[in-house]
Amino acid sequence: MSSDVMEKIVSLCKRRGFVFQGSEIYGGLAGTWDYGPYGAMLAHNIKSLWWKHFVGVREDMYGVSTSTIMSEAVWRSSGHLEGFTDPMVECAKCKRRFRTDHLPDVKKCPECGGSLGDEKTFNLLIPVELGSVAGETSRAYLRGEVAQGMFIHFKNILDTIRPKLPFGLAQMGKAYRNEIAPRDFLFRAREFDLMELEYFVREKEWEASFEMWRNEMHSWIEAVGIKKEIVHEVEIPNGERAHYSKRTIDFEFEYPFGQKELYGLAYRGEYDLKRHMEQAGVDFRYADESEEPFVPHVIEPTFGHGRTILAVLLSAYDEDELGGEKRVVLRFKKEIAPVKAAVFPLLKNKPELVAKAREVYSSLKLQVSSVQFDANGNIGKRYRRQDEIGTPVCITVDFQTLEDDTVTVRDRDSGVQERVSVNDIAKLVS
Ligand code: GAP
């Protein structure tokens, strides 16, 4: 993928209202991104598809939604206060900080040439001071992963749902990390959404379950529209894995700035449940009639939502020529496209066409969410606008519509148009 694709995507995202820099009007806040109308719809559609794929269609998954602020004790027990760190060096001259593993030369500052100090470990958790009584505060943390919200409620889940092993918990939501060097657009942010699964198994089942989730992750990559030929599995060796993991496979994507992590699959063993059991004194053992109570083991597929959006944008972005005209097109899968269909009157100065187009639009909008009406400019310009935001089909109301209630439906990818009865368009679009 050529490096200018990244610039083109960042610029398209800003120009068409997908993604803006966080706190932009005050100069921006590094590592924060805000979604505009199309970005918010794309983000929402990806989450809905993920939920359907991993929770909705399965019998063994349960969803939870837990707080993003969690007590210090959670992170002490989970090992994150100690182990959730990046190696860092600071420049003696300009005081900028860098991740040591991102530097070509660990002695010289890449910005000002000053000398870099000794390596330190830098904790990524973001502390917050909470005050409930005037003058008194207590320290808590914004969650660094959404997984812990699922581990700490393990007993509540057993007591209320009474699930049979193997079963899993799913959660989507904000995670926060004090990244030393946020960079590469949505790739490395300080606030981002995570979509995570914790799948609880008997120890003897872990390898089979790991393989099952490995396949499921590939099937998701295809379902969401990420180019699977540029996703590569990388086995993470001993000593480089997160403190809780006994085995990790990273799913790396060929971004324009290099092949880097997209998703991860980890075998967390009984690490988290055992740590919380010891520290909080809660019994997290699972008991089936036929077995002695035991602490289940965990397989964790984890999906960064921002990185999914970035990989989807990079996979969908294309420039081609249609009908002799150059265009930019986002070839999103229909399920995640921010706008599912656009409805146009052929001519905007013919009131009868505009009225009929609005009627078709209003009826379609009731059946399919996210339909747009557009009467600005000529048809060619409207097609270009919709191609650039990835709308799968454009529907045009013309003079024939007034006679036989049919419209033309134009396919984004091929440009082919077909005549379809108004009654059939909702089926075609959804
Ligand atoms: N619960 C496991 C866990 O949090 P991780 O590899 O630290 O594992 C999970 O993070 C996923 O979160 C990664 O695979 C990546 O997709 C995404 N991710 C991690 N750091 C990120 C950041 N700073 N900005 C955006 N996404 C990030």
Side-chain angles (χ1 to χ4, degrees), residues 145 177 179 187 189 194 196 244 261-262 300 302 304 307:
E145 59 168 2
R177 296 184 185 179
E179 292 286 352
F187 178 79
L194 268 175
E196 293 196 316
Y244 49 73
E261 181 182 348
L262 170 63
E300 180 194 66
T302 180
R307 288 191 193 178

Side-chain angles (χ1 to χ4, degrees), residues 318-341:
D318 199 9
E319 293 171 15
D320 68 359
E321 219 176 283
L322 200 64
E325 264 192 70
K326 283 194 184 336
R327 66 168 181 166
V328 168
V329 55
L330 287 176
R331 301 187 194 278
F332 290 137
K333 288 256 178 149
K334 166 166 120 174
E335 294 79 0
I336 61 161
V339 178
K340 304 286 178 217

Side-chain angles (χ1 to χ4, degrees), residues 206-216 247 249 265 299:
W206 85 263
E207 275 160 312
S209 181
F210 196 90
E211 286 311 308
M212 184 266 282
W213 284 110
R214 191 178 190 169
N215 292 332
E216 284 296 321
R247 183 180 178 195
I249 290 179
L265 174 63
I299 308 294

Side-chain angles (χ1 to χ4, degrees), residues 24-43:
E24 188 189 82
I25 61 167
Y26 293 103
L29 181 65
T32 65
W33 296 98
D34 296 340
Y35 293 102
Y38 295 131
M41 285 191 272
L42 177 65

Side-chain angles (χ1 to χ4, degrees), residues 343-395:
V343 181
F344 314 146
L346 180 65
L347 301 167
K348 68 173 175 187
N349 55 2
K350 295 283 174 203
E352 64 277 32
L353 288 186
V354 175
K356 182 65 184 172
R358 286 217 76 95
E359 183 191 311
V360 170
Y361 160 74
S362 304
S363 145
L364 193 59
K365 203 161 170 57
L366 288 179
Q367 302 167 74
V368 183
S369 66
S370 195
V371 180
Q372 246 183 21
F373 181 85
D374 190 358
N376 293 327
N378 62 34
I379 285 277
K381 281 203 177 120
R382 296 178 208 159
Y383 283 155
R384 297 294 94 84
R385 274 202 295 274
Q386 295 299 331
D387 290 343
E388 212 184 26
I389 60 164
T391 307
V393 292
C394 293
I395 296 158

Side-chain angles (χ1 to χ4, degrees), residues 84-119:
F84 196 45
T85 54
D86 278 335
M88 180 203 81
V89 282
E90 193 175 280
C91 172
K93 198 165 149 203
C94 71
K95 304 289 174 210
R96 283 195 182 87
R97 290 170 165 185
F98 304 93
R99 261 178 71 161
T100 324
D101 53 341
H102 287 169
L103 287 173
D105 178 351
V106 291
K107 301 235 174 305
K108 199 165 134 204
C109 174
E111 295 291 335
C112 73
S115 65
L116 296 172
D118 293 339
E119 182 176 290

